[in-house]
């Protein structure tokens, strides 16, 4: 367990942490790759979660077609995935996410969101659903960095926006590559396993703690701040 006593900022991941959106992403990615003659299993969507769409597309193309996707292909495939996602029923806010936001705010800590997402509709929705907790200036998305998770860059950018050192921040992540990025940025990272992957897959990336749901983390938050 890591102490959160001297923390100044909380860097939240978005998909699978603030929104119960991963089942939608799984459906959208598997259908998209099938439509372009490639394949992605549901567990691979969870294993790749957190990195940018272009990173995922290039990786799968290289593995299955023996070549990286061209910039135009990346754009076309990602637009197709985004369109499938857009036409799906609206995703729900993750249970416990707002409760945790209230507790973090009550402790006087800064709140930022650091996501690999480039889903404009979902990014806009965050500003409505988490009004009073987050502003666009305090969000890092795939539009704001050239190298996404698992590289530390998005979280390093989050630290710069917050104006704090890594030791003063904490990351909340649900994905293996997201935990990897937080740890690589030198930040204490809390894993919340809200998906189907075994805990071990997250634990081997080096989080300081692991919870099994956002309500569980929210319930322990005040204890962690002591
Ligand atoms: Mg996530």
């Amino acid at each position: 367990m890591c102490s959160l006593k001297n923390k100044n900022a909380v860097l939240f991941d978005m998909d699978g942490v603030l929104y119960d959106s991963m089942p939608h992403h799984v459906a959208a990615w598997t259908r998209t790759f099938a439509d372009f003659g490639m394949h992605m299993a549901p567990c691979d969507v969870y294993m790749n979660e957190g990195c940018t769409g272009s990173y995922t597309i290039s990786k799968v193309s290289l593995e299955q077609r023996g070549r990286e996707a061209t910039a135009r292909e990346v754009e076309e495939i990602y637009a197709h995935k985004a369109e499938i996602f857009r036409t799906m029923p609206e995703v729900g806010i993750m249970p416990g996410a707002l409760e945790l936001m209230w507790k973090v705010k009550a402790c006087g800590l800064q709140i930022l969101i650091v996501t690999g997402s480039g889903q404009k509709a979902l990014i806009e929705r965050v500003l409505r659903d988490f009004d009073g907790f987050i502003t666009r200036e305090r969000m890092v998305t795939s539009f704001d960095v050239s190298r996404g998770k698992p590289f530390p860059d998005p979280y390093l950018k989050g630290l710069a926006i917050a104006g704090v050192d890594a030791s003063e921040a904490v990351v909340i992540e649900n994905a293996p590559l997201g935990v990897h990025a937080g740890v690589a940025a030198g930040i204490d990272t809390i894993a919340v396993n809200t998906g189907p992957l075994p805990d071990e897959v997250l634990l081997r990336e080096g989080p300081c703690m692991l919870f099994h749901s956002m309500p569980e983390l929210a319930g322990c938050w005040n204890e962690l701040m002591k």
Side-chain angles (χ1 to χ4, degrees), residues 46-189:
Y46 285 99
M47 287 303 292
N48 282 291
E49 185 200 340
C51 55
T52 61
S54 63
Y55 186 91
T56 300
I57 292 162
S58 295
K59 191 173 159 217
V60 172
S61 177
L62 191 60
E63 284 166 2
Q64 298 181 18
R65 303 195 296 188
R67 64 172 181 84
E68 287 197 4
T70 64
R72 190 173 171 174
E73 284 173 326
V74 168
E75 199 178 314
E76 192 185 357
I77 294 170
Y78 192 68
H80 190 70
K81 187 257 173 177
E83 181 57 20
I84 293 172
F85 189 91
R86 194 189 64 75
T87 57
M88 290 175 152
E90 195 169 67
V91 296
I93 296 175
M94 187 65 85
L98 276 166
E99 183 190 351
L100 182 55
M101 286 270 184
W102 278 111
K103 288 191 172 181
V104 170
K105 192 173 180 182
C107 294
L109 274 66
Q110 299 187 63
I111 294 173
L112 292 92
I113 293 175
V114 178
T115 177
S117 178
Q119 299 281 160
K120 283 188 175 138
L122 198 52
I123 293 165
E124 290 305 315
R125 217 189 119 189
V126 170
L127 301 175
R128 296 198 309 271
D129 290 343
F130 296 92
D131 183 30
F133 299 108
I134 192 77
T135 59
R136 179 65 185 88
E137 297 71 38
R138 291 183 163 265
M139 283 185 78
V140 179
T141 75
S142 70
F143 301 110
D144 302 313
V145 284
S146 49
R147 287 198 317 178
K149 304 169 190 178
F151 295 102
D153 307 30
Y155 282 116
L156 293 174
K157 177 135 195 174
L159 292 177
I161 293 169
V164 299
D165 292 333
S167 63
E168 299 172 280
V170 60
V171 162
I172 300 176
E173 264 286 354
N174 71 307
L177 297 183
V179 173
H180 187 98
V183 172
I187 308 171
D188 285 331
T189 300

